[in-house]
Amino acid sequence: MSGSLRGDLFDDLQKWTKKADLCMALGTSLCGMNADQLVTKTAHRAMSAWDKRIKKSAQKSLGSVIVSLQQTQYDNICTLRIYAKLDVVMALLAKEMGLTIDTHMYEPNVPKELIVRPDVFIVPYDENGNLSKNTKTHWNLMKGAKIKVTDGPGTGYEGIVSGKNEDGHYICTLPNQREGSISQGKVLSKYMLGSWWVESAINGNAPKLPDILQGPHSVY
């Protein structure tokens, strides 16, 4: 396996690796990827908390939970290990927590004043896709909109919004972004942009938009 995480996503991984008090690894083989450290370091914090010599504040760590059918190399350090299918475990957990699962298709909750027209939204980001306190732009996700990737191995790649799938998520056609692939930047591929991004963007929850409009921007 090869490739790299977007810089902002890796920073987020590092932050949560240091502060997480509970980590659930669901359906992964934990075969040695960089993200495995979130499981191992959270587990080790919990193991250290069992040592009476450490400060009481460290005892808040609950450790890691691994749920999968396949044995992993970290089974011996997790707090809880469940060998079962995820659907079964999650259904039992939802029942235990008294949760009702909404089966309706998700739709972003967007105030009318932030909708310029269908699939075009006013968001607190500048023309480069960076979160801004002083600038707002139009984020155009209409079918046919020309877009440009803002970060990761495909930074600067240009493509279009091809439409939506049956669940309302946006489909983008862009040059292949798989780092190290012989097809990177050469072959067009389909990428899905979750519709939840719209709600996240209008609320300024992400430090950067995943894509921006090519060419001129409407700036406020």
Side-chain angles (χ1 to χ4, degrees):
M1 301 181 193
S2 62
S4 62
L5 281 172
R6 280 173 35 180
D8 58 328
L9 298 183
F10 184 73
D11 289 342
D12 199 39
L13 171 64
Q14 292 291 82
K15 179 182 73 175
W16 283 103
T17 295
K18 294 176 182 178
K19 66 184 290 187
D21 58 3
L22 173 65
C23 176
M24 296 182 67
L26 307 177
T28 171
S29 60
L30 296 170
C31 59
M33 302 296 283
N34 203 327
D36 290 2
Q37 64 177 298
L38 186 55
V39 175
T40 58
K41 291 185 178 180
T42 304
H44 283 305
R45 274 195 294 276
M47 293 172 70
S48 296
W50 298 333
D51 188 334
K52 296 181 180 180
R53 292 171 295 177
I54 67 169
K55 296 180 181 179
K56 292 183 178 180
S57 59
Q59 296 177 5
K60 295 179 181 179
S61 180
L62 299 175
S64 294
V65 178
I66 301 176
V67 184
S68 68
L69 294 174
Q70 181 181 350
Q71 185 179 7
T72 80
Q73 60 183 318
Y74 303 123
D75 290 353
N76 63 317
I77 64 172
C78 65
T79 302
L80 177 62
R81 181 62 168 98
I82 302 175
Y83 293 94
K85 293 183 177 181
L86 296 185
D87 287 349
V88 174
V89 175
M90 293 299 104
L92 290 172
L93 180 60
K95 181 179 180 180
E96 180 67 22
M97 297 178 67
L99 300 177
T100 300
I101 307 301
D102 187 356
T103 58
H104 292 87
M105 186 173 72
Y106 165 78
E107 292 185 10
N109 182 18
V110 183
K112 292 182 179 180
E113 62 269 21
L114 297 181
I115 302 175
V116 180
R117 52 186 176 275
D119 299 317
V120 181
F121 310 95
I122 299 174
V123 296
Y125 293 83
D126 63 21
E127 60 270 25
N128 295 313
N130 297 308
L131 183 63
S132 174
K133 294 181 179 179
N134 305 313
T135 304
K136 292 185 177 181
T137 56
H138 287 177
W139 194 23
N140 188 350
L141 296 174
M142 291 179 63
K143 183 177 181 179
K146 296 180 179 180
I147 56 175
K148 181 166 61 176
V149 179
T150 60
D151 209 340
T155 299
Y157 286 3
E158 298 181 350
I160 63 169
V161 178
S162 302
K164 296 180 180 180
N165 66 10
E166 59 183 6
D167 294 321
H169 302 301
Y170 297 93
I171 304 299
C172 302
T173 301
L174 291 155
N176 187 291
Q177 300 180 63
R178 185 174 180 81
E179 189 174 30
S181 169
I182 59 173
S183 300
Q184 184 181 5
K186 301 175 182 178
V187 178
L188 292 179
S189 301
K190 302 287 186 182
Y191 294 93
M192 185 171 68
L193 179 69
S195 59
W196 56 265
W197 255 106
V198 173
E199 190 170 339
S200 180
I202 65 170
N203 290 311
N205 292 334
K208 198 166 192 174
L209 293 176
D211 63 67
I212 55 174
L213 186 67
Q214 294 180 36
H217 295 72
S218 298
V219 181
Y220 298 83

